[in-house]
Amino acid sequence: MEEARHLLQELRDNKLPMCIPDKCHMTYSIQWSDKGVDPVTVKEHKNYIDHLCEDFEKTLSGMITHGIKTRASSDTDTELFREVVQHVSFCQQKCSTFHGRENILKMIHKYVTGDSDSPLTVYGVSGSGKTSVVAMAAKQASETQDDGVLVIRFIGTTPESTSVCSLLKSVTSQVWTVYGHEVHDLPSDLKELSGVFYQALQLAHESKPLLVLLDSLDQLDNSDSGRQLTWLPTHLPPHVKLVVSTLPESQHECLQRIQGMVTSRGHFVQVPKLPDGEATGILDKWLETAGRKLTKGQRGVINAAFQQCPLPLFLKLAFDVARRWRSFTPVDETVLETTVRGCIKTLFLKLERAHGRMFVSRALGYLTISRRGLTETELEDILSCDDDVLNDVYMYWTPPIRRLPPLLLVRLKTEFNQYLVDKGADGVRVFFWYHRQFIEAAYERYCSDDSDQRKMHAALGDFFSGVWAHGVQKPYTDKQGTERKADRHVTAQQLRFGDSYNLRLLNNLPFHRLRAGQLALLKEECLCNFNFLQAKLVATGLRQVLEDFQDARNMFSEDSAISTIGDALQLSQGALIKYPYELPSQLRGRIKDETELRPFLQQCDDSLAGYLVANQLILTRPGGQLVHCLAGHKEDITGLAITCDGEYALTCSRDKTLKVWDVYGGKLYRSIDNVGEDPDTIRLCLNDRVALVNPDGAIQAYEISTGNRKYAIQVDLKPQFCCAGPGETTVAVFTLSTVQLYRANDGQLTQEVQCPYTRGDITIGDVGPSAGSGNYLVTTDTEQHHLFVFNVQTSTFTILKDVFSARDNDSGESREEMTTVDALALIDDGRTIVVSNMFSNDLHLLDSATLDEIRVLKGSQRDVLEKFHVTPDCRYVYFASFNNIVAWDVPSEERHAILGHHTCYHDVATVDMELVVTTGEDHVVKVWDISREATTDAHHDGFTISRFAVLDNPRYVVLVGSYDVSHRFLNVYDLVTCTNVRQMQVNADIKDLVVIDNHRVMVRVGRKLKIVDFSKMAVTVTFQGQLPLGSYRDFCVVKQRKEVVSVTRGRRNIKVYKTATGKVCHVIKSEEEQRLICVLANKSGTTLVAETEEGTYLVFDLNTQRFRYKFDPVTLNFSETYTDGACVTEDGRFFIFNGEMMTEDDLAHSSIYVWNISKRVMEHELTDKDTYEMFVDTGDIYYDTSVDSFVFLPPTSLLANLNDGRMRVYDTVSGNMTMTLPGHASARMCIPEAGPYVLTRGTWVEDRTFRLLDRKTFQSVATFTPDFNLAELFLTSDGHHCVGYFPNYPEPVVWTLRDSNAQRRQKGYKPLSAFTSIYGDKVPVVVAHLETAQDSRDDPGDPDTDVDETEDDVIDEDDADFDEDWF
């Protein structure tokens, strides 16, 4: 004892101080007690412990803070640097035990030093050593190319290398950094990102070549269809080499995709089985590294086993067993399995003997059934909640804290760590099995029992839901059989941690609840939990949310709540992909308030984010005929086809993509990018295995199952083509005088047949319709009058006939448009041709052999027949016609309008007349089930709104509309009661509508302005004189609506009316001969600017009633100016307009200009100079900053939407740009005089969204995306409610912002019902004669003496420089 005390003292006083710096140790002195350190009974000891803890916390906190500051100040404290280090370290680890494979390495070296411009692919089965080969190739390249740049990624080993977008961002950023390029934000869209990645590769040059190695493409996750490799360049820039590796199996897609992209077999290197000699060398190196040796007999055992399974993975497993043998180990114990699976089983048995069967089985079981792996902390927490494990571990004692001892897991993980890989999942580092062989073996051993598997999934679900976190005690039964509870101290789970979303919870919780069969919890915690859906939608995107619902519906197909919410999300794709915070708007607008979903809808109502709710049903509800809305194309969809089994629909688009859609699943199955310019037709051949698409100059063939391009048939321009023969084995391409027949399987030309019927005035057409069948081909001539019929079996043209020219219509006329063949199809295996002409819309059935007419199906004048399609059974001929789908039942000769909609269809495809796929103007593919009952609009009574305006009282709007041309109305509509409270049937079209006050509106009827008073239900004022013949922006209301300023009848001068009397009080001479086409004045009525027909501007002083001056934009170097959105500021100092300056580079580019009216100089050009310079440098429309639209916000701000789809905020005083924010492809904006918001809306079909912006900060408050385009949209006069209408919709719609917090913050908000009802109840319809015979006569005493315009003087309204929507 004395010696031990002496040694401890020596260690403390002498040895430790020599090894540990003074600042790293502290000395404390206390009196020892019989119980050692006893803080419970000895106060001195308690003070010591408290002091020790305080010093420890203070010292450690200081060290951590210092470390953070030091790291932050270092150049290496970047995500990119840490990412590169991770992959380099992994590479070094693989190289440290590498041996052999010289031949493969020489092939890679030859490629790297050669002149190939295609990527090199290394492939081999799992366990063949691909990753080690890639790592060693990188090492050798770094040693032989001193000046080169090496970029390597082992995909799936880090969070940033797991998805294709994060991978490309990381690689691109590294290339930019190495080559000294500015590193800036990268796009999130894969197509755009792929282009930036390729541009980054172009930075390589001769003195600094670039080598990129990407290992394990098969490890890419499913996001953005990364394994389809549309991002992988097939032709590399000079001085760039790209080496990739992948597994060969077809389920991984990658190898098959690359083989379709790179046709040279010399660019593929297979990693073969390991030769015996190399296996011996590898084994020697491993033994040397481990400090072990084997006897000759033991080596023989390994060699014999290796002969049975010559894979590097097997050799590694055999070595791990043999390294534990001793020279004296009995021969019967030096036995090896002869398969990889057998070796893994042996490893598992060893682990179970060392650590316990229960502990190992659950630890490895949880790991195996996890979604993508687990962190060590997660697995420890999960095992700590598994009472089977804890009861086994704590068999002989009861711990003070019921939790798994952490060292148990550390020891277990250390033993098999070499077979695990750290990889990225959900933004964190997890560990998982490195080889699939381990996954399969562990699943078979530990997870094969369904009940055990569900139990483990339930435990994982409990962990990710946080059931046992936050001190909640989990019940258990101790070894004496007593029921107890204990806190397991597991990690807390919540949807968000600060600004970051908990991706582990969002992705894993529904996965495990579903596989545990826990439907109630799956709905409560995930799929029927609004906060969960909102968080996952924002954090991961709509696709992942829909996949959760699809998986749940596959297992619980009868659950109505999951089906309803899932369908609502499908229908909302067009909105939620871009605007995830619209979730409450979309769900609230689509889901009925049913009992089961009422709690879920209440959660929507309680959304923390602001959202807009419509007062009417305007969104398609689940359960109707519309099943899926599939968004993905970015430009017009030009072609549509469907497989004969109806499982897949294919579309092509001007965005150069060919997409394959899962019709039943409602999701994108495959996207094929860069198919070429302007494809417009898709044909299917080889029993729907191959799709043909026709970009300019070629017909491309793609395998549907892999997306690989099989071949390309080079053609001139864009000829007609179709498929024929049994199973569509022949591709027929029509030229002016021949048909070329190609084999559909390889694109080889087999025959070209001259048409004997072509002559100088009759040639085969390249724009008309064509069709093919098993026996026949049919097409038209260039003028689409004649039909050519080609017999596929005999390879001959059999007949030519002018189909319609000999026929007259009912009136005996025969005109050009009556004689063209506008649509055709083949039925009855080609024996019958169905043709039609759009003038009559009749369907003519012709005999293919003679072209004699068999019968005629009398058409409807409501139809437009352009693209005929035929169901596989040839019963139905169907086509898209405006906003309906029409199908003819040929045997019964019955016409059916099967699918009406609010918007026009472009094309349609179906196989059974039940599930129907359509395309339209909005870039969305829609899937319909017409066997379902259609949902009808019960409110539609035939009334259509054509124009409306908001009154000063926000609860009312004025509507102009009609039932038909003879029943036109001017109504006052109450937005609260949703009724017309005043109705005037009028006898004329109302062109313009301007609100004067709550009871009076000014209308333009013909050439007259009139005031209608709704309190008297009559015209009370008719303005003196005539307006010009044309109707553009030639008048405006000023001085608090007390005066009206307009151009004179001949457009030479300006006249001013008094609103109260309608009399002209002033005529202001312009002193110019140019005609005035547009007038703009400030609201106070002090200054007016008029645009002339020649493009000059005249300035008038309305206070003094005099013309001031003219300025000509041409003299200021303008090539064009526009009055859309132009304005005069309220103080009359500035005129703001949009114009194009003449530039040396001839780039058409417009900016906003501020003209100082008093100083007669250009004050500012408002533009985004930096972005414009990028546009000049690249010519990329992504940087086009030409002005789309703008609006002035008093007193000094201006909001502009530019052609690049983004908005800018400018300060008109300084001329500076102050902000950039998301915008629209094309926009209209509304800014009321009062209220806290600015309203912007997209006007293109593909951008229907409208947005509320905070008027002060311009931050987005809420968005709403309807299913179809709005006709008009405004803010009510109080500035708090949106009101608009849709084409062909009978009533206006009101959107209210649902956000109680925001409403409390915004002053002046109150519901529409709180505003005074000034019209009371509905009154009978009053007939009012807006237009009278007196209107065309001159008024006595009219001071407007301008010479009247004639019809020849009138400027075509379509040629005006502004859009009437601005007025």
Side-chain angles (χ1 to χ4, degrees):
M1 180 67 73
E2 186 64 31
E3 181 183 2
R5 186 178 293 111
H6 175 74
L7 290 174
L8 284 172
Q9 186 175 354
E10 176 68 18
L11 176 65
R12 182 192 65 197
D13 297 339
N14 299 317
K15 292 184 177 181
L16 285 180
M18 293 175 61
C19 301
I20 303 175
D22 291 342
K23 64 178 181 179
C24 294
H25 68 85
M26 296 181 181
T27 302
Y28 303 90
S29 297
I30 62 170
Q31 187 69 35
W32 196 257
S33 71
D34 294 339
K35 295 182 180 180
V37 178
D38 184 11
V40 176
T41 59
V42 181
K43 184 176 180 181
E44 180 188 7
H45 290 187
K46 181 180 183 301
N47 294 338
Y48 156 68
I49 294 297
D50 292 342
H51 194 193
L52 173 65
C53 292
E54 291 172 4
D55 289 346
F56 176 80
E57 180 182 4
K58 181 179 178 180
T59 303
L60 194 61
S61 298
M63 294 171 65
I64 293 172
T65 304
H66 180 264
I68 292 173
K69 290 181 179 179
T70 303
R71 188 172 184 177
S73 62
S74 170
D75 292 338
T76 62
D77 185 40
T78 65
E79 291 185 7
L80 177 60
F81 181 83
R82 292 190 289 272
E83 177 75 3
V84 172
V85 168
Q86 290 281 355
H87 291 281
V88 171
S89 299
F90 189 85
C91 180
Q92 291 172 340
Q93 175 190 340
K94 288 295 177 183
C95 292
S96 64
T97 56
F98 187 88
H99 180 82
R101 300 293 194 180
E102 298 297 334
N103 290 336
I104 297 177
L105 292 173
K106 286 179 181 178
M107 295 171 68
I108 297 175
H109 179 73
K110 181 179 178 181
Y111 163 78
V112 171
T113 57
D115 57 2
S116 172
D117 67 347
S118 296
L120 180 73
T121 302
V122 178
Y123 68 96
V125 297
S126 178
S128 61
K130 298 180 304 301
T131 298
S132 295
V133 167
V134 171
M136 197 63 190
K139 182 175 183 292
Q140 291 184 350
S142 67
E143 293 171 349
T144 57
Q145 295 184 331
D146 294 337
D147 297 328
V149 174
L150 175 68
V151 176
I152 188 166
R153 294 292 186 274
F154 296 93
I155 296 173
T157 62
T158 66
E160 295 304 314
S161 65
T162 302
S163 70
V164 62
C165 285
S166 59
L167 173 69
L168 291 183
K169 288 180 179 180
S170 172
V171 173
T172 301
S173 297
Q174 184 177 350
V175 173
W176 277 350
T177 302
V178 174
Y179 284 95
H181 186 280
E182 179 187 359
V183 179
H184 54 74
D185 291 340
L186 287 159
S188 297
D189 177 76
L190 178 58
K191 190 173 182 180
E192 295 178 12
L193 185 57
S194 301
V196 176
F197 170 61
Y198 188 80
Q199 291 174 4
L201 296 182
Q202 293 175 320
L203 295 172
H205 48 81
E206 185 176 3
S207 60
K208 201 171 186 178
L210 172 64
L211 171 61
V212 180
L213 300 102
L214 304 176
D215 175 61
S216 300
L217 294 177
D218 51 277
Q219 290 293 319
L220 284 169
D221 64 23
N222 292 325
S223 63
D224 295 297
S225 302
R227 290 201 295 268
Q228 293 187 26
L229 306 184
T230 56
W231 52 272
L232 190 72
T234 55
H235 296 286
L236 301 170
H239 316 297
V240 176
K241 294 294 182 288
L242 175 61
V243 179
V244 299
S245 76
T246 182
L247 291 172
E249 290 82 8
S250 59
Q251 65 263 32
H252 306 301
E253 304 183 80
C254 299
L255 181 61
Q256 292 71 29
R257 284 288 292 158
I258 301 176
Q259 288 174 336
M261 297 159 61
V262 180
T263 56
S264 172
R265 298 301 95 185
H267 286 83
F268 294 86
V269 177
Q270 183 175 8
V271 179
K273 295 179 179 179
L274 199 59
D276 292 345
E278 291 189 4
T280 302
I282 293 172
L283 185 60
D284 288 341
K285 190 167 185 177
W286 287 347
L287 287 168
E288 181 183 352
T289 303
R292 302 291 298 165
K293 290 185 178 181
L294 296 176
T295 67
K296 184 176 180 180
Q298 291 170 343
R299 278 184 173 273
V301 172
I302 294 178
N303 291 336
F306 182 73
Q307 294 297 323
Q308 301 296 315
C309 186
L311 291 173
L313 176 59
F314 177 83
L315 186 63
K316 182 67 171 66
L317 289 166
F319 164 73
D320 286 338
V321 174
R323 66 186 293 188
R324 292 175 173 80
W325 293 342
R326 301 292 185 265
S327 58
F328 50 82
T329 300
V331 175
D332 60 346
E333 295 181 17
T334 57
V335 178
L336 291 175
E337 297 287 343
T338 56
T339 63
V340 170
R341 184 65 61 84
C343 288
I344 296 175
K345 181 180 178 181
T346 300
L347 174 64
F348 288 162
L349 284 169
K350 183 177 75 67
L351 292 173
E352 291 168 11
R353 285 195 295 268
H355 302 280
R357 163 77 183 178
M358 176 59 70
F359 171 58
V360 172
S361 65
R362 288 295 168 84
L364 301 189
Y366 286 130
L367 179 65
T368 303
I369 67 169
S370 65
R371 183 170 171 269
R372 289 182 185 170
L374 296 168
T375 68
E376 193 167 324
T377 301
E378 287 172 349
L379 184 53
E380 184 182 320
D381 282 347
I382 293 162
L383 290 170
S384 295
C385 292
D386 191 324
D387 289 304
D388 292 338
V389 172
L390 295 185
N391 287 338
D392 187 61
V393 170
Y394 296 123
M395 187 177 297
Y396 302 108
W397 71 292
T398 301
I401 297 177
R402 189 168 175 81
R403 183 173 170 83
L404 184 77
L407 282 180
L408 284 184
L409 186 58
V410 171
R411 287 167 50 201
L412 176 65
K413 188 168 179 285
T414 300
E415 286 209 37
F416 66 93
N417 196 51
Q418 56 194 316
Y419 304 113
L420 301 174
V421 61
D422 285 338
K423 59 185 292 185
D426 308 322
V428 300
R429 293 189 65 79
V430 300
F431 67 93
F432 196 57
W433 298 112
Y434 186 62
H435 282 282
R436 285 176 176 79
Q437 297 273 15
F438 280 89
I439 300 174
E440 294 167 3
Y443 191 90
E444 179 182 343
R445 186 167 182 83
Y446 303 124
C447 312
S448 56
D449 184 270
D450 290 342
S451 61
D452 286 346
Q453 189 182 141
R454 284 195 296 272
K455 183 177 180 180
M456 286 190 286
H457 277 301
L460 286 162
D462 285 348
F463 168 74
F464 285 110
S465 69
V467 170
W468 307 119
H470 303 289
V472 177
Q473 295 187 330
K474 185 177 186 293
Y476 71 98
T477 304
D478 65 15
K479 54 190 176 184
Q480 285 80 29
T482 305
E483 299 290 332
R484 297 182 180 276
K485 294 181 180 181
D487 182 1
R488 308 306 170 90
H489 301 280
V490 300
T491 306
Q493 299 288 342
Q494 53 196 58
L495 291 175
R496 296 183 68 168
F497 298 115
D499 294 332
S500 300
Y501 285 95
N502 185 353
L503 295 177
R504 297 295 289 160
L505 182 156
L506 295 172
N507 290 327
N508 287 277
L509 183 57
F511 178 88
H512 293 295
R513 289 302 189 208
L514 176 64
R515 283 152 184 80
Q518 297 172 314
L519 175 60
L521 288 174
L522 175 68
K523 293 166 63 176
E524 177 188 343
E525 297 174 345
C526 306
L527 304 188
C528 297
N529 183 309
F530 172 80
N531 292 326
F532 178 91
L533 293 179
Q534 180 71 85
K536 185 158 187 176
L537 182 62
V538 174
T540 68
L542 180 62
R543 180 174 178 176
Q544 283 74 14
V545 176
L546 291 177
E547 286 177 354
D548 286 345
F549 276 90
Q550 187 60 51
D551 289 345
R553 295 173 76 169
N554 289 339
M555 185 174 291
F556 304 110
S557 58
E558 301 301 319
D559 190 89
S560 60
I562 291 177
S563 295
T564 299
I565 298 174
D567 286 345
L569 291 170
Q570 283 277 6
L571 296 174
S572 305
Q573 283 191 71
L576 298 181
I577 286 176
K578 191 172 182 180
Y579 304 105
Y581 286 108
E582 270 191 42
L583 183 64
S585 293
Q586 294 291 322
L587 295 181
R588 244 318 184 177
R590 297 185 192 275
I591 297 176
K592 293 180 180 179
D593 193 359
E594 298 173 339
T595 302
E596 183 181 8
L597 288 174
R598 196 159 290 150
F600 175 75
L601 295 176
Q602 183 60 51
Q603 293 175 20
C604 293
D605 292 343
D606 296 337
S607 170
L608 296 177
Y611 66 98
L612 292 160
V613 175
N615 69 331
Q616 298 190 42
L617 175 60
I618 56 170
L619 298 177
T620 304
R621 280 184 166 172
Q625 293 182 322
L626 183 58
V627 180
H628 304 303
C629 291
L630 308 176
H633 284 297
K634 296 187 176 180
E635 294 190 33
D636 292 342
I637 300 173
T638 52
L640 171 66
I642 193 169
T643 56
C644 288
D645 58 7
E647 186 172 352
Y648 296 107
L650 293 87
T651 54
C652 61
S653 166
R654 290 198 175 92
D655 62 13
K656 304 179 187 178
T657 65
L658 172 66
K659 296 187 184 295
V660 185
W661 307 91
D662 180 345
V663 174
Y664 297 104
K667 60 184 179 182
L668 180 66
Y669 171 70
R670 187 174 305 285
S671 180
I672 303 170
D673 293 340
N674 301 316
V675 299
E677 295 285 347
D678 200 24
D680 63 12
T681 303
I682 301 173
R683 307 282 193 191
L684 302 180
C685 60
L686 298 178
N687 294 317
D688 295 341
R689 296 197 307 275
V690 173
L692 302 172
V693 65
N694 64 334
D696 290 343
I699 297 172
Q700 312 266 24
Y702 294 92
E703 286 185 344
I704 295 176
S705 61
T706 65
N708 288 337
R709 194 182 82 166
K710 288 177 65 67
Y711 56 83
I713 300 172
Q714 301 303 316
V715 295
D716 294 330
L717 301 177
K718 198 184 290 289
Q720 288 296 310
F721 73 101
C722 52
C723 301
E728 297 83 33
T729 54
T730 298
V731 180
V733 180
F734 295 101
T735 70
L736 292 177
S737 60
T738 68
V739 61
Q740 298 172 341
L741 304 178
Y742 297 84
R743 287 198 302 261
N745 63 334
D746 60 10
Q748 293 298 310
L749 178 65
T750 60
Q751 194 175 10
E752 184 169 13
V753 181
Q754 182 73 35
C755 178
Y757 303 110
T758 57
R759 52 183 185 267
D761 58 337
I762 298 179
T763 58
I764 298 176
D766 58 356
V767 294
S770 63
S773 69
N775 296 314
Y776 290 98
L777 297 169
V778 59
T779 189
T780 66
D781 68 321
T782 304
E783 301 299 325
Q784 295 181 228
H785 295 306
H786 299 80
L787 284 183
F788 294 92
V789 179
F790 181 83
N791 189 307
V792 178
Q793 303 301 321
T794 62
S795 296
T796 57
F797 283 91
T798 59
I799 195 168
L800 169 73
K801 189 170 184 179
D802 188 341
V803 179
F804 293 120
S805 294
R807 298 185 177 90
D808 293 338
N809 69 355
D810 295 339
S811 62
E813 298 179 285
S814 180
R815 300 201 304 267
E816 180 74 16
E817 63 268 24
M818 302 180 187
T819 61
T820 56
V821 177
D822 298 311
L824 66 82
L826 286 167
I827 60 175
D828 302 330
D829 197 26
R831 294 187 299 274
T832 303
I833 305 173
V834 183
V835 297
S836 182
N837 165 262
M838 280 195 291
F839 190 85
S840 67
N841 291 329
D842 297 338
L843 273 65
H844 299 260
L845 277 63
L846 313 178
D847 186 302
S848 297
T850 63
L851 291 183
D852 292 337
E853 189 168 273
I854 301 172
R855 53 186 168 137
V856 178
L857 309 183
K858 196 64 179 175
S860 169
Q861 290 302 314
R862 291 171 293 180
D863 294 341
V864 173
L865 287 69
E866 287 189 287
K867 289 183 180 179
F868 277 165
H869 303 281
V870 181
T871 53
D873 61 5
C874 293
R875 176 177 175 178
Y876 291 96
V877 174
Y878 62 93
F879 52 90
S881 176
F882 292 122
N883 60 342
N884 218 321
I885 303 298
V886 177
W888 277 93
D889 186 334
V890 177
S892 67
E893 301 187 3
E894 294 179 348
R895 174 190 176 275
H896 304 279
I898 62 173
L899 193 61
H901 195 47
H902 294 283
T903 58
C904 289
Y905 297 108
H906 285 175
D907 208 350
V908 58
T910 183
V911 296
D912 56 8
M913 281 297 146
E914 288 190 0
L915 214 58
V916 178
V917 182
T918 64
T919 62
E921 301 170 334
D922 55 3
H923 305 177
V924 174
V925 179
K926 294 184 173 69
V927 181
W928 312 76
D929 185 349
I930 62 174
S931 65
R932 296 182 179 181
E933 183 179 355
T935 54
T936 58
D937 183 359
H939 300 290
H940 202 289
D941 57 2
F943 185 78
T944 300
I945 303 171
S946 59
R947 191 177 297 275
F948 88 124
V950 295
L951 292 182
D952 294 340
N953 186 323
R955 71 179 286 164
Y956 296 104
V957 294
V958 179
L959 307 180
V960 177
S962 64
Y963 291 95
D964 52 50
V965 293
S966 60
H967 295 83
R968 294 165 289 192
F969 285 83
L970 179 63
N971 301 337
V972 177
Y973 184 89
D974 189 330
L975 298 173
V976 176
T977 62
C978 297
T979 56
N980 288 304
V981 291
R982 295 292 184 273
Q983 290 183 279
M984 295 179 64
Q985 184 171 351
V986 297
N987 66 337
D989 288 328
I990 297 173
K991 178 62 180 176
D992 295 316
L993 176 68
V994 179
V995 172
I996 301 300
D997 55 36
N998 276 326
H999 293 92
R1000 297 182 300 155
V1001 294
M1002 182 171 64
V1003 298
R1004 179 181 189 144
V1005 180
R1007 298 181 66 183
K1008 280 287 190 179
L1009 289 177
K1010 302 190 178 188
I1011 289 181
V1012 176
D1013 190 330
F1014 289 108
S1015 63
K1016 300 177 180 178
M1017 295 297 285
V1019 175
T1020 56
V1021 177
T1022 298
F1023 282 61
Q1024 188 177 32
Q1026 303 278 349
L1027 294 177
L1029 282 171
S1031 55
Y1032 331 119
R1033 197 172 181 176
D1034 46 18
F1035 73 91
C1036 57
V1037 179
V1038 297
K1039 294 188 177 179
Q1040 298 179 332
R1041 308 176 200 170
K1042 295 179 179 179
E1043 293 184 354
V1044 177
V1045 182
S1046 80
V1047 300
T1048 53
R1049 61 196 302 163
R1051 296 190 175 275
R1052 303 294 180 182
N1053 304 305
I1054 299 295
K1055 57 184 175 182
V1056 182
Y1057 291 98
K1058 291 294 184 183
T1059 305
T1061 63
K1063 299 296 184 181
V1064 176
C1065 57
H1066 305 290
V1067 174
I1068 308 172
K1069 300 293 184 180
S1070 70
E1071 303 177 9
E1072 297 286 334
E1073 293 299 320
Q1074 299 169 338
R1075 291 193 301 160
L1076 310 179
I1077 63 172
C1078 173
V1079 292
L1080 301 161
N1082 55 348
K1083 292 181 180 179
S1084 58
T1086 62
T1087 304
L1088 179 140
V1089 176
E1091 184 186 15
T1092 70
E1093 188 176 1
E1094 287 75 15
T1096 58
Y1097 291 100
L1098 309 185
V1099 179
F1100 295 84
D1101 187 326
L1102 296 180
N1103 283 336
T1104 61
Q1105 297 95 47
R1106 66 182 181 88
F1107 167 69
R1108 295 182 60 187
Y1109 63 89
K1110 175 182 78 172
F1111 74 92
D1112 187 350
V1114 173
T1115 63
L1116 301 172
N1117 207 33
F1118 280 91
S1119 59
E1120 193 75 59
T1121 60
Y1122 310 96
T1123 53
D1124 283 359
C1127 66
V1128 178
T1129 58
E1130 186 56 29
D1131 57 10
R1133 294 178 57 200
F1134 301 108
F1135 171 52
I1136 303 174
F1137 65 96
N1138 174 19
E1140 293 180 10
M1141 282 281 192
M1142 299 178 186
T1143 59
E1144 296 179 359
D1145 52 25
D1146 293 328
L1147 282 174
H1149 175 268
S1150 62
S1151 296
I1152 300 167
Y1153 294 89
V1154 180
W1155 173 261
N1156 191 311
I1157 293 176
S1158 59
K1159 295 181 180 179
R1160 306 188 184 189
V1161 296
M1162 196 65 69
E1163 194 83 9
H1164 298 296
E1165 177 186 5
L1166 307 181
T1167 187
D1168 184 343
K1169 295 180 181 179
D1170 293 340
T1171 306
Y1172 174 67
E1173 288 174 1
M1174 296 179 70
F1175 175 59
V1176 173
D1177 292 341
T1178 64
D1180 191 340
I1181 60 173
Y1182 181 78
Y1183 303 113
D1184 183 4
T1185 57
S1186 292
V1187 178
D1188 165 67
S1189 57
F1190 71 93
V1191 65
F1192 180 67
L1193 286 78
T1196 61
S1197 296
L1198 184 140
L1199 179 64
N1201 190 76
L1202 307 187
N1203 283 354
D1204 62 359
R1206 292 184 285 273
M1207 290 184 176
R1208 276 43 167 212
V1209 180
Y1210 299 99
D1211 183 343
T1212 57
V1213 174
S1214 66
N1216 295 329
M1217 185 180 75
T1218 61
M1219 190 180 301
T1220 298
L1221 56 150
H1224 304 271
S1226 182
R1228 290 291 178 261
M1229 308 176 203
C1230 173
I1231 302 178
E1233 293 185 13
Y1237 305 120
V1238 175
L1239 174 65
T1240 71
R1241 70 177 177 97
T1243 60
W1244 288 6
V1245 174
E1246 62 271 23
D1247 180 14
R1248 303 182 296 272
T1249 302
F1250 64 87
R1251 182 184 292 120
L1252 278 182
L1253 304 178
D1254 185 283
R1255 193 166 186 153
K1256 294 180 179 178
T1257 66
F1258 296 100
Q1259 297 302 306
S1260 179
V1261 176
T1263 65
F1264 189 90
T1265 306
D1267 287 344
F1268 39 93
N1269 265 30
L1270 282 153
E1272 283 189 282
L1273 183 70
F1274 295 107
L1275 283 166
T1276 51
S1277 57
D1278 66 335
H1280 285 276
H1281 307 272
C1282 305
V1283 57
Y1285 71 92
F1286 295 94
N1288 305 316
Y1289 203 80
E1291 298 178 346
V1293 181
V1294 179
W1295 286 267
T1296 301
L1297 181 66
R1298 286 276 185 90
D1299 181 355
S1300 57
N1301 292 332
Q1303 290 174 0
R1304 282 196 297 269
R1305 286 197 304 269
Q1306 301 295 355
K1307 294 181 179 180
Y1309 171 80
K1310 56 182 179 180
L1312 291 176
S1313 57
F1315 289 93
T1316 304
S1317 173
I1318 59 176
Y1319 279 101
D1321 297 330
K1322 181 177 179 179
V1323 298
V1325 176
V1326 173
V1327 177
H1329 295 283
L1330 290 187
E1331 190 173 44
T1332 66
Q1334 186 68 30
D1335 292 346
S1336 60
R1337 300 170 189 167
D1338 290 336
D1339 293 325
D1342 181 8
D1344 180 1
T1345 58
D1346 200 358
V1347 178
D1348 207 353
E1349 275 191 314
T1350 66
E1351 293 292 343
D1352 293 337
D1353 293 329
V1354 176
I1355 303 170
D1356 188 347
E1357 186 172 353
D1358 292 336
D1359 294 335
D1361 284 340
F1362 61 89
D1363 188 327
E1364 65 174 15
D1365 285 346
W1366 281 95
F1367 186 32

